Amino acid sequence: MINRQLLNPESIVVIGGSNNVHKPGGAIVRNLLNGGYKGELRIVNPKEDEVQGIKAIHDACDLPPTDLAVLVVAAKFCPDYVELLAGEKEVRAFVIISAGFGEETEAGAKLEQRILDTCEKYGAALIGPNCIGLLNHHHHSVFTLPIPKLNPLGADFISGSGATAVFILESAVSKGLQFNSVWSVGNGKQIGIEDVLQYMDEHFNADTDSKVKLLYIENVANPDKLLFHAGSLIRKGCRIAAIKAGSSESGSRAASSHTGAIASSDSAVEALFRKAGIVRCFSREELTTVGCIFTLPALKGRNFAIVTHAGGPGVMLTDALSKGGMNVPKLDGPATEELKSQLFPGSAVANPIDILATGTALQLGTAIDFCEKKFDNIDAIAVIYGTPGLTQLYEAYDVLDKKIRECSKPIFPILPSLHTAGPEVAEFLAKGHVNFSDEVTLATALSQIMRTPQPAPPELELYGVDVPKIREVIYRETNRLKFEGIDSGYLAPDTVREILQCAGIPLVPEMVSTDKEALAAFAQKVGFPVVAKVVGPVHKSDVGGVALNIRTPEHLGLEFDRMMKIEGATSVMVQKMLKGTELFIGAKYEQRFGHVVLCGLGGIFVEVLKDVSSGLAPLSYAEAYSMIHSLRGYKILKGTRGQQGINEQKYAEIIVRLSTLLRFATEIKEMDINPLLADGNSVVAVDARILIER
């Protein structure tokens, strides 16, 4: 319910405004005045006659009609103030700074609900409670510092935490990052992070609006809304980065499947961000560094030139870029010799380009010009330039300023001397630039941006998936659970095969039976060697319930007799033994998010290595390929040291088909296909488990 009165109020009243700028009520008034608010500013304070040069109103009943009210009084007084102001003073927007509501006690939650009910009744917008306020070009209704420099091309920053928002702003200001608006939504009782994104999306103007959005999220209240509007904004040309705090919490129950052991609420967040195209960050420094990168021209390639006058940082940046999937290509040929002739003896030009500690501002500009105009295989330039405290850097930073404005290739300034060259760096930032004071942090942020895929298309891949048949099987099995009086359970192997066949997922030939002779006849039919597995126990390997490379009927009979004695055994499964690279696909249903699909290397080590990638169902083929390529073990899948690679297309197809199946079977709560055996021609499911819940 974001409205004009919240964004651009013609009048504002601060309930609890004071002369003490060291308290929120006084600080709000100070920031509104210093921010140049052009409307009518009113103060309600029963004890003061004048507040920071403004005549105070002792009783809110004496207020004239007002657009926006900022409340900085005890929580217990807020509901009555909101009722009075909305009902009698035509206030249609509230920013409630006060704490002590639902974030603390049940009684506080009731106060909060009263406020929301009143706002909904009168059609009023509500930011908070328990927030630092709202900052935009029209009004600075925040009580904290710093107040960042506002620029329509700066970042829109939305935070679920007030204190964290302040610390992020501190980090951003020191880098020169400018802002268009700052939203602290606090408890988000009416307007949460997703609602702000929705407003920005639905009212987006590509010519005037900021294209950089930074988010600090403590709770994803509405994953679908976040996914839809973040993806929509990115498709319109925006770039979004976010921190999701509280990502280490995992499920409290003991997981009974590989997927259950690996997947967590963090997997769902990771999958959601990937699907939306949001760059995920894990610290304040990383978020603000990514925000600074977003203000520069987008990278069109991965090849960096490093211009430096200090060898060590150049080497560290080279290592960090290479580790993150970037390239620092060797420079050679006539152009490098020409460049070397214009630098001092001893300078290096192979990349990094080291102009030495004695290198001049003119030589810095020359090196940048060569990277821009004569080295065609360079996509971006990183410039590391500080001081040992012996010289001033104004001239060098003037050159850097000029080159950033002139060059078509993005230039990343790394100015590390924040102490010894503080004034010079400050003057550089004042010209509208950003600074990456640490080269490794920059490289880490760049690699995270480059790894983030574009938003996934909303279309569903239905080809080859028998949705009516899937629903028929699920309906039958949930009715079975109801008849048995249980809420959840694993499906029988033949039912698992039935469901996978409905999705068009290739399966290894198998038979499940308690008849030893029938299993022997099946093995003869498909051809030895075969594999025998116990049916019943969930973790077959842990109880000795898997026997490989069985080559004779006699050996199969012995394994059958042994397995049927295992506790919990109900039958034995025999499969044709295949060879190939072991892969894994799993899925887990996360409340509000839907199914999180995982893929990776399979076999018994899947829980140990945990080299998995996550996606949110339903998945497109592009998403499936992105998941596969993001695995640390991708080189194994591609083929290494003379070994044949797998058929990536078939693997991606199975991931997509499984995700489509899950979209129409929310009763499936956990699912493993482990292993799938893959070679250059095919990918076949060997073992699978499905846990359903009615």
Side-chain angles (χ1 to χ4, degrees):
M1 199 177 288
I2 296 172
N3 55 23
R4 191 271 306 167
Q5 290 89 340
L6 178 66
L7 297 176
N8 187 13
E10 295 178 1
S11 53
I12 298 175
V13 59
V14 180
I15 307 293
S18 73
N19 286 305
N20 188 347
V21 297
H22 300 294
K23 291 187 176 180
I28 285 272
V29 176
R30 175 201 63 200
N31 288 344
L32 281 165
L33 292 173
N34 291 346
Y37 173 62
K38 293 180 172 56
E40 185 73 24
L41 180 58
R42 299 159 184 153
I43 312 294
V44 171
N45 187 317
K47 298 179 181 179
E48 300 280 356
D49 294 327
E50 186 177 283
V51 172
Q52 299 184 46
I54 300 174
K55 184 179 178 181
I57 299 171
H58 291 168
D59 191 331
C61 293
D62 299 328
L63 276 169
T66 306
D67 277 352
L68 167 66
V70 182
L71 273 60
V72 202
V73 294
K76 62 182 179 181
F77 300 123
C78 289
D80 290 337
Y81 269 120
V82 172
E83 180 65 44
L84 169 69
L85 295 168
E88 299 182 20
K89 304 302 175 182
E90 300 177 19
V91 173
R92 292 297 176 261
F94 292 89
V95 175
I96 301 182
I97 304 297
S98 317
F101 291 92
E103 79 281 1
E104 290 189 6
T105 64
E106 186 176 336
K110 292 179 180 178
L111 296 176
E112 197 171 352
Q113 188 60 46
R114 278 186 58 197
I115 291 170
L116 177 63
D117 291 343
T118 302
C119 289
E120 298 292 319
K121 175 182 176 182
Y122 292 101
L126 171 63
I127 293 288
N130 185 32
C131 67
I132 65 169
L134 172 63
L135 170 72
N136 65 21
H137 293 272
H138 301 294
H139 63 104
H140 296 182
S141 294
V142 295
F143 71 88
T144 56
L145 295 175
I147 301 294
K149 186 174 181 179
L150 295 182
N151 182 334
L153 300 179
D156 289 313
F157 173 39
I158 316 166
S159 175
S161 165
T164 307
V166 173
F167 302 150
I168 289 172
L169 289 174
E170 291 269 9
S171 172
V173 167
S174 69
K175 294 180 177 66
L177 180 60
Q178 298 179 11
F179 289 83
N180 178 55
S181 67
V182 176
W183 300 69
S184 165
V185 300
N187 293 358
K189 191 65 178 177
Q190 183 199 73
I191 298 173
I193 290 173
E194 297 92 339
D195 302 294
V196 179
L197 278 180
Q198 178 181 2
Y199 181 87
M200 291 178 176
D201 179 26
E202 293 176 348
H203 296 81
F204 183 72
N205 184 322
D207 296 326
T208 59
D209 289 355
S210 166
K211 294 183 173 64
V212 177
K213 319 292 180 188
L214 304 180
L215 316 176
Y216 175 80
I217 305 172
E218 292 189 334
N219 175 48
V220 181
N222 191 327
D224 286 341
K225 183 182 282 190
L226 179 66
L227 171 63
F228 181 85
H229 292 293
S232 175
L233 281 165
I234 293 170
R235 291 187 192 95
K236 292 174 181 177
C238 293
R239 308 173 83 182
I240 302 179
I243 296 173
K244 168 60 178 75
S247 60
S248 61
E249 180 184 356
S250 59
S252 58
R253 67 177 178 80
S256 60
S257 69
H258 293 299
T259 303
I262 297 169
S264 66
S265 58
D266 187 51
S267 302
V269 171
E270 182 75 23
L272 176 67
F273 282 14
R274 285 178 61 85
K275 197 173 191 69
I278 297 172
V279 177
R280 188 173 188 187
C281 302
F282 295 90
S283 71
R284 300 191 302 271
E285 285 298 303
E286 190 175 355
L287 181 68
T288 55
T289 300
V290 169
C292 289
I293 294 170
F294 281 170
T295 66
L296 301 178
L299 281 173
K300 296 180 179 178
R302 295 176 177 264
N303 290 346
F304 270 77
I306 300 172
V307 179
T308 179
H309 68 168
V315 173
M316 287 192 289
L317 180 56
T318 300
D319 290 343
L321 288 171
S322 300
K323 184 179 178 181
M326 311 291 176
N327 306 312
V328 183
K330 183 179 179 181
L331 301 174
D332 52 22
T336 58
E337 293 302 318
E338 183 184 353
L339 172 59
K340 194 167 187 177
S341 70
Q342 299 185 40
L343 303 177
F344 289 139
S347 298
V349 294
N351 202 13
I353 300 169
D354 186 350
I355 65 173
L356 305 179
T358 53
T360 66
L362 177 62
Q363 290 172 330
L364 172 64
T366 299
I368 294 173
D369 285 341
F370 270 73
C371 295
E372 165 74 6
K373 300 172 183 176
K374 298 196 175 186
F375 299 143
D376 295 335
N377 61 334
I378 294 301
D379 302 304
I381 307 162
V383 176
I384 306 173
Y385 208 94
T387 174
L390 301 175
T391 59
Q392 292 185 329
L393 299 179
Y394 290 111
E395 185 181 358
Y397 291 172
D398 283 344
V399 169
L400 185 55
D401 165 56
K402 182 173 181 289
K403 297 305 177 185
I404 289 174
R405 298 180 190 282
E406 291 177 351
C407 291
S408 61
K409 297 175 182 177
I411 297 177
F412 297 85
I414 302 166
L415 316 180
S417 301
L418 301 180
H419 179 68
T420 54
E424 294 95 320
V425 173
E427 182 178 284
F428 177 79
L429 297 182
K431 294 176 180 178
H433 300 300
V434 294
N435 173 34
F436 307 95
S437 60
D438 182 79
E439 58 278 350
V440 176
T441 303
L442 168 62
T444 302
L446 279 167
S447 63
Q448 193 71 348
I449 291 171
M450 297 299 282
R451 282 198 298 264
T452 302
Q454 288 298 302
E459 295 81 15
L460 196 63
E461 301 281 355
L462 285 171
Y463 179 74
V465 179
D466 190 343
V467 175
K469 181 63 175 177
I470 289 169
R471 288 309 310 160
E472 178 185 323
V473 175
I474 293 294
Y475 179 75
R476 182 189 75 208
E477 291 302 313
T478 51
N479 276 343
R480 177 183 59 79
L481 292 177
K482 183 178 180 180
F483 178 78
E484 294 174 359
I486 56 178
D487 292 327
S488 62
Y490 278 95
L491 298 180
D494 57 340
T495 306
V496 172
R497 288 181 68 86
E498 189 177 5
I499 288 177
L500 295 183
Q501 286 169 342
C502 290
I505 296 175
L507 300 162
V508 65
E510 72 176 30
M511 180 179 184
V512 178
S513 180
T514 57
D515 186 328
K516 188 189 328 185
E517 284 70 27
L519 291 173
F522 171 78
Q524 291 280 15
K525 178 181 176 182
V526 299
F528 287 98
V530 296
V531 178
K533 302 177 183 179
V534 67
V535 176
V538 173
H539 293 296
K540 301 174 178 63
S541 297
D542 294 348
V543 294
V546 178
L548 306 176
N549 203 29
I550 299 172
R551 295 184 172 275
T552 65
E554 293 76 17
H555 185 186
L556 177 59
L558 291 173
E559 292 293 351
F560 176 88
D561 293 337
R562 181 183 66 81
M563 289 182 185
M564 288 302 292
K565 295 175 183 177
I566 294 174
E567 184 178 354
T570 59
S571 56
V572 171
M573 174 193 298
V574 172
Q575 297 174 326
K576 173 67 177 174
M577 185 167 176
L578 303 176
K579 292 183 179 181
T581 301
E582 293 188 337
L583 305 176
F584 160 81
I585 301 178
K588 183 182 179 184
Y589 186 82
E590 284 285 342
Q591 195 66 32
R592 295 183 292 114
F593 287 83
H595 283 100
V596 180
V597 179
L598 306 175
C599 74
L601 293 170
I604 63 174
F605 299 114
V606 61
E607 286 185 34
V608 178
L609 297 177
K610 295 184 179 178
D611 179 18
V612 295
S613 182
S614 60
L616 203 60
L619 295 164
S620 66
Y621 279 93
E623 288 179 277
Y625 280 117
S626 176
M627 289 169 64
I628 295 168
H629 294 167
S630 68
L631 293 168
R632 295 192 304 274
Y634 174 63
K635 288 184 179 179
I636 297 174
L637 306 186
K638 196 172 183 180
T640 184
R641 301 190 67 131
Q643 293 191 345
Q644 185 185 30
I646 71 162
N647 188 319
E648 283 186 40
Q649 180 182 346
K650 296 288 186 183
Y651 191 24
E653 183 178 332
I654 292 175
I655 293 171
V656 171
R657 287 175 178 272
L658 177 66
S659 76
T660 304
L661 151 68
L662 295 168
R663 174 65 180 80
F664 295 97
T666 55
E667 296 88 347
I668 295 177
K669 300 306 177 186
E670 287 184 19
M671 181 175 186
D672 281 340
I673 306 180
N674 183 37
L676 296 100
L677 288 178
D679 56 26
N681 299 314
S682 64
V683 181
V684 178
V686 174
D687 198 2
R689 287 177 300 199
I690 297 178
L691 176 69
I692 66 167
E693 185 178 292
R694 65 181 178 91

